[in-house]
């Protein structure tokens, strides 16, 4: 995992959030370096956070592990739902880093998906 690769998934997450005009954008990087990008899903019958959607996209594409995840939102680290961290942990393991960035792409914190 490199700073350049981490910056890339933050940028992708930020772009998804801005492009769709939603509260969150997320991106995950799998064990082969492939990235999966998602935004918040809010339908009358389906509500998914961006992070859970990105993990689901990785699983649906055959990923077997995650190297890192990024979440871009206005939320602070204490507001990342346990379900979001659990989804990252289920695929990547408890030590998988989750990069939390603000709307401008500024890295605010890195937490483990434990």
């Amino acid at each position: 995992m490199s700073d350049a690769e981490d910056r890339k998934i933050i940028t992708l997450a930020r772009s998804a959030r801005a492009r769709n005009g939603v509260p969150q954008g997320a991106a995950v990087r799998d064990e082969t370096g492939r990235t999966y990008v998602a935004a918040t899903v809010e339908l009358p019958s389906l509500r998914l956070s961006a992070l859970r959607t990105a993990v689901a996209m990785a699983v649906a594409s055959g990923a077997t592990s995650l190297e890192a995840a990024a979440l871009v939102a206005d939320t602070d680290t204490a507001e990342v739902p346990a379900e979001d961290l659990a989804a990252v942990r289920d695929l990547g393991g408890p030590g998988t880093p989750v990069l939390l960035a603000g709307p401008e792409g500024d890295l605010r914190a890195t937490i483990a998906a434990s």
Side-chain angles (χ1 to χ4, degrees):
M1 174 170 51
S2 72
D3 288 341
E5 291 298 314
D6 290 348
R7 172 72 26 221
K8 176 183 172 183
I9 62 172
I10 289 171
T11 299
L12 290 169
R14 183 175 176 238
S15 296
R17 180 182 185 269
R19 179 177 52 251
N20 294 304
V22 294
Q24 300 176 342
V28 297
R29 183 175 60 241
D30 75 8
E31 74 281 1
T32 67
R34 289 179 298 179
T35 56
Y36 306 88
V37 181
T40 307
V41 174
E42 291 189 17
L43 298 171
S45 63
L46 178 65
R47 292 185 183 269
L48 291 172
S49 70
L51 198 50
R52 282 183 274 169
T53 304
V55 171
M57 292 173 67
V59 171
S61 296
T64 59
S65 184
L66 293 180
E67 291 181 349
L71 175 65
V72 174
D74 288 327
T75 60
D76 110 22
T77 58
E79 296 176 13
V80 178
E83 297 87 0
D84 288 10
L85 296 176
V88 173
R89 182 179 62 245
D90 286 349
L91 188 56
T96 305
V98 179
L99 311 168
L100 303 173
E104 300 303 316
D106 51 311
L107 182 62
R108 295 179 174 171
T110 301
I111 61 174
S114 53

